[in-house]
Amino acid sequence: MTDARGPALPNGGAPHAPGTPCWVSLMVHGLDTTEEFYGALFGWEFRPGPQQFGPYVRALLDGREVAGIGVLPPDRRLPVAWTPYFASGDVDLTAEVVRSCGGTIGVGPLDAADAGRLAIGSDPSGAVFGIWQAAAHLGTFATGVPGTPAWNELTTFESASVAKFYETVFGYDEEPVVSADFDYVTLLLDGRPVAGVHGVGTSVLRDRGPHWTTYFTVTDADDAVDHVLHLGGQVLEPVRDGAHGRVATVADPEGARFRLLQGPR
């Protein structure tokens, strides 16, 4: 269904530059059914990853790792959600900066076998994100083809203060949208856009609070939405035309939300 042949790995296969979104991971209750859903939707295949925290697999597209899926501990009532990870040269130091800037660290820092070192935290508004210091596992390098992560966007109350948090932690610059009725900041790393922060006020976030959303590239957004429904998922926001292509918000059978992005033709 998909083809991930593309450009060679950046930096000759070296770790991502600090601050780069480098991985997305999903924790679920049913691993087998989740593999079936994303395998059919994106053409992913799966192989085991580090197991010291429970069952965990890496999703591959044409032999390249694109995402991870693990099993939630049965005694922990955590939301089923995609979590972006941002690269760090020193996860312990980055975790200290997160805390000093008003964020929290809920997991780690700790080693993930020989793959690398990680921490999972939340920003001052409560949105969860991961920090990854690569060792054997560098993260996602397959991009720009169907079935790969395309963008990560934070939905929060207002963009300014939260964007400052991420700028301090990861060294971003910001590019705000100058508009009276659209609160949006693009986060830049070395001049290139790497993530977005969308402020929507308080009322829109009552159902789940501030959160990150991962966009995945698809060839045809309308066809992908039909496929999501056929596979037992939900359509939360129908396909619409946006500045960067056609976008739909959907959820997998366990309720994990993500967006489908068909780039402009």
Side-chain angles (χ1 to χ4, degrees), residues 64-154:
R64 296 187 186 179
E65 296 175 347
V66 294
I69 302 174
V71 176
L72 284 166
D75 59 336
R76 300 191 68 182
R77 299 180 65 84
L78 298 171
V80 176
W82 282 101
T83 300
Y85 281 71
F86 300 91
S88 170
D90 184 335
V91 70
D92 295 80
L93 178 59
T94 302
E96 290 180 11
V97 178
V98 167
R99 294 188 185 101
S100 70
C101 293
T104 60
I105 297 295
V107 177
L110 48 81
D111 292 325
D114 63 348
R117 190 163 172 80
L118 66 85
I120 299 174
S122 56
D123 65 30
S125 74
V128 175
F129 64 96
I131 308 164
W132 182 252
Q133 179 181 341
H137 172 63
L138 300 178
T140 302
F141 278 106
T143 60
V145 293
T148 61
W151 185 247
N152 291 288
E153 185 174 273
L154 173 61

Side-chain angles (χ1 to χ4, degrees), residues 156-170:
T156 190
F157 301 116
E158 56 85 28
S159 67
S161 62
V162 179
K164 291 295 183 187
F165 166 83
Y166 287 98
E167 289 169 29
T168 303
V169 172
F170 294 113

